Amino acid sequence: MRLFYQSFGVSRGSRDGLYAQALRRIIQKAAASGTEITVDGLSPHRAIADQYRYLELLDTVEVTEKGLQAEKDGYDAFLVGNIFEPGVHELRELLNIPVLGLRESSIQVACLMGASFSLINVNPKFVPRIMEGVRNQGVMSRLASVETMTVERPGAFDLAFRDDDARAEVVRQFTEAANRCIEKGAEVLIPAGGSLMTVLTEAGIHEVNSAPVLNGPLALVKTAEMAVQIKQLTGVFTSKRMTYAPPTGKLLTDVRKAYGQNVYPGAT
């Protein structure tokens, strides 16, 4: 089984930076025997402040191109390791392999771990986008709260991978927010961001007052393995009816004349 893990944070610190190294350790540890995972980032000038919709739009174009290439290269699933999941829905319509996102996978696993969950994000701009994702996922009744830390720039997490004091400050803020979540009824805690998830894992933070702290990259990898195995056993995974249905017939012919023959591979 071959999985393509599309990271965003590794672009800032380079593909060989401290975040990339920590993320790969988590992912490789999560992989089952026989699972091969490629971790890659976006271009160096991408994946910055993607809580802003225009910047996310720019990232989405590159993500979809990466997804098309991954399917062409024989990968069995494409993983979007970002809490806002740029390109997930577009790629489910485009590709014939499972496409999984960090937020969806984290929340689905959290719902198996406890009756309620809270999300802890890094700045207030995240909140509307996170709430939008939870509503679209149909699990609002399981959401206890969304709490906010005060980390405004991705660079704060980059520093936390090499500076003990910076890491301790991230852990302190997270723990304070986690306790607010627990007071509001959360049974599972979800750090809302791949960088935050990875810093906490490196710091050994897996539980706060008996509430599990969900490791998102781990949940994403295990969900992807399940999706690939379901497809191998049944021949299908992503529904191609309605929401993720590609154009067909004469419309597909027109689309390919306009956009190129490589769009919607496998559609007829």
Side-chain angles (χ1 to χ4, degrees):
M1 181 187 304
R2 298 176 66 213
L3 308 179
F4 191 102
Y5 191 107
Q6 180 63 65
S7 177
F8 288 66
V10 301
S11 303
R12 297 188 300 272
S14 86
R15 287 163 173 78
D16 298 316
L18 295 177
Y19 172 65
Q21 293 175 36
L23 180 63
R24 286 192 176 93
R25 284 194 294 271
I26 293 171
I27 288 172
Q28 296 304 329
K29 188 175 182 179
S33 177
T35 297
E36 174 187 325
I37 306 176
T38 297
V39 181
D40 199 10
L42 298 181
S43 302
H45 57 287
R46 300 293 191 205
I48 298 174
D50 45 23
Q51 65 267 34
Y52 293 88
R53 290 184 183 273
Y54 172 66
L55 301 176
E56 181 189 22
L57 174 65
L58 299 179
D59 291 347
T60 299
V61 174
E62 187 170 345
V63 171
T64 53
E65 291 173 351
K66 289 284 195 73
L68 284 164
Q69 187 61 48
E71 181 174 79
K72 184 178 179 181
D73 290 344
Y75 284 91
D76 297 297
F78 189 85
L79 287 59
V80 179
N82 179 278
I83 203 71
F84 302 125
E85 303 180 333
V88 160
H89 298 293
E90 292 83 356
L91 285 169
R92 285 177 180 164
E93 184 183 272
L94 272 172
L95 305 185
N96 304 292
I97 58 176
V99 178
L100 291 308
L102 183 64
R103 189 205 69 251
E104 278 191 342
S105 297
S106 296
I107 289 176
Q108 293 292 358
V109 172
C111 287
L112 298 175
M113 296 169 69
S116 62
F117 66 90
S118 282
L119 288 142
I120 300 172
N121 66 62
V122 298
N123 71 62
K125 181 70 175 178
F126 278 43
V127 176
R129 299 295 310 283
I130 288 173
M131 292 297 292
E132 179 182 299
V134 175
R135 282 192 294 270
N136 289 342
Q137 204 165 340
V139 290
M140 282 294 293
S141 65
R142 307 285 289 273
L143 177 67
S145 68
V146 177
E147 302 296 331
T148 304
M149 298 166 59
T150 56
V151 181
E152 295 185 357
R153 298 179 64 252
F157 292 111
D158 297 336
L159 181 61
F161 285 108
R162 63 178 185 273
D163 183 272
D164 291 342
D165 290 339
R167 182 183 304 173
E169 175 60 16
V170 170
V171 171
R172 183 192 68 78
Q173 287 197 33
F174 177 83
T175 302
E176 289 183 356
N179 282 316
R180 295 197 299 271
C181 296
I182 292 168
E183 289 173 0
K184 295 176 182 179
E187 297 182 8
V188 182
L189 306 166
I190 304 177
S195 297
L196 175 58
M197 292 169 171
T198 305
V199 168
L200 293 171
T201 299
E202 288 286 283
I205 307 300
H206 302 293
E207 185 178 68
V208 176
N209 289 335
S210 299
V213 176
L214 188 137
N215 182 315
L218 189 156
L220 179 53
V221 168
K222 304 315 288 186
T223 302
E225 289 178 334
M226 175 193 68
V228 171
Q229 289 179 322
I230 289 173
K231 190 173 190 297
Q232 290 173 342
L233 290 167
T234 68
V236 295
F237 185 76
T238 303
S239 173
K240 292 297 184 177
R241 179 174 177 82
M242 300 298 288
T243 301
Y244 300 125
T248 59
K250 180 62 168 63
L251 176 59
L252 178 61
T253 300
D254 294 342
V255 166
R256 285 177 172 164
K257 284 181 180 178
Y259 293 94
Q261 294 300 309
N262 293 327
V263 297
Y264 297 105
T268 58

